[in-house]
């Protein structure tokens, strides 16, 4: 922006106040510049508030409307009416989900699920390269599946590990080295009987025998002198005894699994008992926390579109700020921001779309009410929820699976979605991406939309207008100084002539 600082050539003839005359002549021009700056400041504030609403919406989305979030209200675990206790969590632990019935099980874990794995004891006193079979070029190598790992005299245990992990990056093969045991460990991430590692040793029978002995696996000859190994993972094996003494044997490829809406996590071998009791405290607290955060967002947005703007608090000019303290400026600007988004169409639609999705029909209203969720009685709290903890807890105990499906059930058809799945869709539509409705108007910082949005373009246009007005004002001021300086020179000339005539009467 151009500075308002033209070069001034001034003098006082004594006949008139040039500074005062010019300053009076520039009042309207300076007011025009100030008004243009104030108009731009209001748009900047609108963009700032919009982005704040987008961030608050994204925070709500990430915390409660993401299935993987710990506080998710879309995950079936959020609707569990059970608390499951383990007699030994180092052996096994469990948690219930919506629809889970009470359990009373004795687990005897004889085998945990393990990945396919091979260990090779290295002799740290000998060069690494001599401990592996040579390849066609005479250097050493290790073949894992179809991947050949070349080993040179410069290699150490750490570089071998890096090579294996790099060359096998397209697989789930992982290598590590234990300084404690001196073992090179090659394993897969996948556990269970379907987890396999193919290993080939060529030209080094001693290494082949070592692998066979250390890993308890026999090798086969491929017909050309190479020894091949197939290492296989293990399934979880456990005996489960119910409260009536009946035994069930389970075999799972992973140590984390779900049966009858109960999520089990096996942590070790041994015996442990799992028992459950009715407990909705965690689910109720999580829902209560969501309602509080959700209501804060709705209150914030609805207040933005209903608060009236006070004409007594326009944005401050730079000159006005010079006579105020920082605290006074902050208080003034807080008042000046109030009401600038009154009746904003996008923000109003945001609240109304959410309210309609929850309470747009009598069937929805009755369904939610049966679960302790109802529309706030205060009309000024539009879109907000009243939450009855006792009703919600009772609904979970009676039929947690139904509560989950009604509130969080997913469908590709919007009308068939659960209430909170609808909320998720609406929040994403308005604030979930750089192409969302609110972002199109204000943009999102650090994204492609930061400058490509309605408000940013308006701010840029207003900046051009301010520069134009400043340039016009500076030109006018310079012209006035030139004009009045010439007049002052003329007056000085006339004064000199008058003095001369007076002295020669």
């Amino acid at each position: 922006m151009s500075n308002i600082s033209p070069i001034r050539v001034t003098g006082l003839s004594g006949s008139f106040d040039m500074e005062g005359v010019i300053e009076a002549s520039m009042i309207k021009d300076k007011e025009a510049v100030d008004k243009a700056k104030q108009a731009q400041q209001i748009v900047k504030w609108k963009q700032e508030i919009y982005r704040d609403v987008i961030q608050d919406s994204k925070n709500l989305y990430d915390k409660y409307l993401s299935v993987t979030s710990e506080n998710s209200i879309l995950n079936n675990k959020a609707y569990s009416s059970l608390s499951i206790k383990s007699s030994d969590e180092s052996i096994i632990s469990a948690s219930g989900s919506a629809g889970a019935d009470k359990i009373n099980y004795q687990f005897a874990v004889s085998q945990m699920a393990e990945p396919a794995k091979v260990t090779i004891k290295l002799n740290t006193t000998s060069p690494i390269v001599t401990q592996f079979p040579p390849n066609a070029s005479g250097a050493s190598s290790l073949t894992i599946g179809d991947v050949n790992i070349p080993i040179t005299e410069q290699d150490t245990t750490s570089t071998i590990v890096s090579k294996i992990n790099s060359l096998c990056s397209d697989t789930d093969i992982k290598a590590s080295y234990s300084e404690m045991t001196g073992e090179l460990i090659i394993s897969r991430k996948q556990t269970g009987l379907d987890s396999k590692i193919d290993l080939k040793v060529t030209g080094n029978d001693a290494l082949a025998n070592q692998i066979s002995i250390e890993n308890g696996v026999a090798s086969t000859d491929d017909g050309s002198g190479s020894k091949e190994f197939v290492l296989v993972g293990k399934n979880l094996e456990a005996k489960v005894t119910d409260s009536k003494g009946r035994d069930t044997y389970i075999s799972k490829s992973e140590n984390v699994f779900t049966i009858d809406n109960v999520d089990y996590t096996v942590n070790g071998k041994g015996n442990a008992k799992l028992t459950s009791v009715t407990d909705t405290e965690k689910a109720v607290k999580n829902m209560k926390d969501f309602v509080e955060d959700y209501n804060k967002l709705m209150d914030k947005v609805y207040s933005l579109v209903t608060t009236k703007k006070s004409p007594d608090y326009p944005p401050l000019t730079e000159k006005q700020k010079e006579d105020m303290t920082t605290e006074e400026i902050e208080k003034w600007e807080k008042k000046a921001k109030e009401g600038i988004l009154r009746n904003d169409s996008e923000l109003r639609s945001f609240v109304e779309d959410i309210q309609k999705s929850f309470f747009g029909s009598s069937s929805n209203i009755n369904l939610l009410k049966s679960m302790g969720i109802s529309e706030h009685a205060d009309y000024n709290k539009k879109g907000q929820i009243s939450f009855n903890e006792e009703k919600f807890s009772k609904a979970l105990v009676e039929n947690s699976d139904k509560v989950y499906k009604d509130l969080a059930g997913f469908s590709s058809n919007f009308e068939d979605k659960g209430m909170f799945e609808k909320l998720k869709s609406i929040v994403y539509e308005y604030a979930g991406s750089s192409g969302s409705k609110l972002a199109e108007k204000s943009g999102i910082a650090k994204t492609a939309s930061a400058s490509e949005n309605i408000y940013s373009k308006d701010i840029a246009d207003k900046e051009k207008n301010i520069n134009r007005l400043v340039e016009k004002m500076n030109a006018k001021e310079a012209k006035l100084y030139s004009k009045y300086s010439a007049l002052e020179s003329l007056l000085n000339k006339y004064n000199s002539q008058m003095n001369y005539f007076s002295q020669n009467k």
Side-chain angles (χ1 to χ4, degrees):
M1 185 187 296
S2 302
N3 292 321
I4 310 172
S5 57
I7 298 174
R8 302 179 178 185
V9 181
T10 66
L12 290 174
S13 67
S15 302
F16 66 95
D17 179 2
M18 184 191 302
E19 289 283 355
V21 171
I22 294 177
E23 186 175 346
S25 300
M26 300 300 300
I27 289 176
K28 288 187 177 181
D29 299 88
K30 291 181 179 179
E31 286 179 349
V33 172
D34 285 340
K35 285 181 180 179
K37 289 182 178 180
Q38 288 172 320
Q40 185 191 54
Q41 182 60 68
I42 288 175
V43 179
K44 288 181 178 179
W45 283 341
K46 286 182 178 181
Q47 184 178 57
E48 175 188 305
I49 295 170
Y50 248 72
R51 290 185 176 183
D52 193 35
V53 170
I54 289 173
Q55 187 58 57
D56 288 347
S57 300
K58 287 175 67 67
N59 290 343
L60 185 82
Y61 186 99
D62 292 342
K63 185 174 182 179
Y64 297 106
L65 302 176
S66 170
V67 178
T68 58
S69 170
E70 181 182 356
N71 303 99
S72 174
I73 56 171
L74 297 181
N75 192 309
N76 59 3
K77 290 184 178 181
Y79 300 90
S80 172
S81 60
L82 296 179
S83 175
I84 301 175
K85 293 184 178 181
S86 171
S87 63
D88 189 345
E89 291 193 349
S90 67
I91 304 297
I92 190 170
S93 60
S95 61
S97 299
D101 293 325
K102 290 183 178 180
I103 64 171
N104 187 341
Y105 296 140
Q106 179 72 40
F107 273 77
V109 180
S110 56
Q111 175 64 55
M112 291 186 67
E114 295 180 1
K117 180 175 68 174
V118 58
T119 59
I120 303 174
K121 184 84 170 181
L122 299 178
N123 184 354
T124 55
T125 61
S126 301
I128 295 294
V129 71
T130 65
Q131 300 179 54
F132 293 92
N135 60 22
S137 66
S140 294
S141 66
L142 186 66
T143 303
I144 305 170
D146 297 327
V147 180
N148 183 264
I149 314 297
I151 301 170
T152 69
E153 293 180 354
Q154 287 73 41
D155 275 315
T156 63
T157 53
S158 62
T159 60
I160 290 177
V161 167
S162 295
K163 282 184 178 181
I164 294 173
N165 288 334
S166 175
L167 293 171
C168 296
S169 60
D170 292 336
T171 70
D172 70 344
I173 295 289
K174 180 183 177 182
S176 61
Y177 177 75
S178 171
E179 293 185 2
M180 179 66 73
T181 63
E183 292 176 329
L184 173 65
I185 305 166
I186 304 168
S187 66
R188 292 190 64 180
K189 295 178 183 178
Q190 178 188 359
T191 58
L193 294 174
D194 290 334
S195 175
K196 295 181 181 179
I197 292 178
D198 295 317
L199 189 70
K200 181 185 287 187
V201 174
T202 304
N204 192 326
D205 289 343
L207 177 64
N209 290 334
Q210 177 188 341
I211 292 173
S212 181
I213 294 170
E214 291 178 357
N215 295 273
V217 59
S219 65
T220 59
D221 196 317
D222 70 347
S224 63
S226 295
K227 303 293 185 182
E228 295 181 331
F229 296 88
V230 178
L231 298 108
V232 182
K234 298 177 181 179
N235 269 6
L236 163 74
E237 304 291 343
K239 181 177 77 170
V240 184
T241 305
D242 66 15
S243 58
K244 295 182 180 180
R246 296 173 296 190
D247 293 336
T248 300
Y249 293 88
I250 61 173
S251 180
K252 298 289 181 181
S253 62
E254 296 180 346
N255 294 310
V256 178
F257 55 93
T258 301
I259 299 176
D260 297 334
N261 298 312
V262 175
D263 300 324
Y264 297 91
T265 301
V266 176
N267 302 306
K269 297 179 184 179
N271 300 317
K273 189 172 185 178
L274 295 176
T275 55
S276 65
V277 294
T278 300
D279 185 357
T280 62
E281 182 179 356
K282 184 177 179 180
V284 170
K285 183 183 183 304
N286 190 54
M287 188 58 64
K288 181 181 178 182
D289 290 345
F290 158 73
V291 169
E292 289 178 353
D293 288 344
Y294 163 84
N295 283 345
K296 286 178 184 177
L297 176 61
M298 289 297 98
D299 184 62
K300 179 176 185 174
V301 178
Y302 193 61
S303 294
L304 289 173
V305 299
T306 56
T307 300
K308 294 182 179 179
K309 179 167 177 56
S310 172
D312 298 328
Y313 289 90
L316 294 166
T317 64
E318 292 303 317
K319 186 170 181 59
Q320 287 172 326
K321 289 182 180 179
E322 290 175 3
D323 300 324
M324 301 172 69
T325 65
T326 301
E327 185 179 355
E328 287 172 336
I329 293 172
E330 289 176 353
K331 288 182 178 179
W332 183 283
E333 291 189 340
K334 183 178 180 181
K335 291 290 293 183
K337 291 177 184 179
E338 291 179 358
I340 62 174
L341 285 167
R342 179 174 170 80
N343 290 326
D344 181 88
S345 58
E346 283 76 19
L347 293 180
R348 184 175 284 278
S349 294
F350 183 37
V351 175
E352 290 176 347
D353 285 355
I354 291 175
Q355 183 190 36
K356 183 180 178 182
S357 71
F358 280 164
F359 309 110
S361 68
S362 57
S363 59
N364 279 359
I365 291 173
N366 292 332
L367 177 64
L368 291 172
K369 191 174 182 180
S370 68
M371 294 181 283
I373 297 172
S374 58
E375 189 172 13
H376 205 289
D378 188 342
Y379 179 80
N380 293 319
K381 296 185 179 296
K382 192 169 185 176
Q384 294 188 44
I385 291 172
S386 289
F387 181 57
N388 187 308
E389 297 179 33
E390 291 183 6
K391 279 190 176 183
F392 184 71
S393 177
K394 182 181 178 183
L396 288 178
V397 173
E398 291 177 349
N399 195 338
S400 60
D401 196 37
K402 183 178 185 304
V403 174
Y404 164 64
K405 289 177 181 177
D406 288 339
L407 293 181
F410 178 78
S411 172
S412 56
N413 182 1
F414 181 83
E415 294 303 323
D416 295 330
K417 292 178 184 284
M419 299 304 170
F420 295 143
E421 275 288 349
K422 289 181 180 179
L423 174 65
K424 178 180 180 178
S425 297
I426 294 171
V427 172
Y428 188 84
E429 178 185 2
Y430 278 87
S433 70
S434 58
S436 61
K437 289 184 177 181
L438 300 186
E440 285 182 353
K441 200 163 181 178
S442 71
I444 299 176
K446 299 180 181 179
T447 71
S449 68
S451 58
E452 292 297 318
N453 59 79
I454 293 173
Y455 282 146
S456 288
K457 291 177 181 178
D458 192 12
I459 290 169
D461 288 342
K462 283 180 167 52
E463 183 74 15
K464 291 177 182 178
N465 183 49
I466 292 169
N467 289 337
R468 181 182 62 80
L469 290 173
V470 169
E471 289 174 4
K472 182 179 177 182
M473 181 175 65
N474 288 343
K476 178 180 177 180
E477 192 172 29
K479 186 176 180 180
L480 287 173
Y481 271 102
S482 177
K483 174 183 176 181
Y484 286 120
S485 292
L487 177 59
E488 187 175 51
S489 296
L490 184 59
L491 289 174
N492 286 335
K493 180 180 178 181
Y494 288 153
N495 283 337
S496 296
Q497 290 176 351
M498 289 176 67
N499 290 334
Y500 174 77
F501 290 133
S502 296
Q503 291 171 4
N504 292 280
K505 282 184 179 180

